Amino acid sequence: MMMVDKSGDPTATRNPAKLDLCQPFLNDLPISGASVTVISSSGAQVALCASDAVAARLDELQFELGEGPQWVATKTGTVVLLPDVSSASHEQWPIFAASMGQLNVGAIFSIPIRMGAVTVGAATLYRDTPGELDEDHQSTALAIASAIASTAVQRAMTFATDDDISESVAVPALRREVHQATGMIMVHLDSTATVAYSRLQGYAFVQGRTVLSVARDVVARTLVFDDLPL
């Protein structure tokens, strides 16, 4: 049962400015970890929290690859359930499925975060063993997602412009560097944003690195893409 105060808001017992947006999911659902990400209509992402390194990596992989259940949940506004990742169909996200093979993940559930009729992001929940998220738990997850939606959007707007916010497992990469690096690569290659980001992704994949770490090299000007072979 979800813990609520008299207002009926599962987050109201804590200061919204300090609220760990992942914790309500952990408190009330049979899961091992969670992450919360706001995704704009243009596809820009701000990762707001991750409960642990596995949750952070699941979110990061989906950001880097541009595919995965959280993208589907955000696009469709519906819950995406993978109660057993080893036997689930991964036709919609084959590269993500292959990439998460080294993680201790038995089940993934992506919950849309909605403000009215608009989906503004997703919470990605995981279990380290296979298991269902039954209808009652899905309703709880959706209620939590709805309750944190306004705070999530406000915090995403702050994070996107506040250079003083530090990165940690609980507050993952804000990814400004990825967007900045994409813009720099566009200039280097005289290309579109799509081509530039594809080159960034491809280089990271070939080098066995994260997109964020490569982006930081581009921003620091220790890696220049017009010096690299096509």
Side-chain angles (χ1 to χ4, degrees), residues 38-50:
V38 168
I39 304 175
S40 74
S41 58
S42 66
Q45 275 189 287
V46 178
L48 299 178
C49 67

Side-chain angles (χ1 to χ4, degrees), residues 56-72:
R57 185 57 182 152
L58 285 172
D59 179 73
E60 186 177 40
L61 280 171
Q62 293 180 88
F63 167 72
E64 293 180 354
L65 299 172
E67 66 174 39
Q70 80 174 17
W71 289 102
V72 175

Side-chain angles (χ1 to χ4, degrees), residues 13 49 69 77 144 224:
T13 56
C49 67
I144 294 170
V224 180

Side-chain angles (χ1 to χ4, degrees), residues 3-5 8-16 19 21 24 144 147-148 151:
M3 300 299 293
V4 300
D5 74 346
D9 183 348
T11 70
T13 56
R14 303 180 64 185
N15 183 344
L19 179 68
L21 299 180
I144 294 170
I148 68 170
T151 300

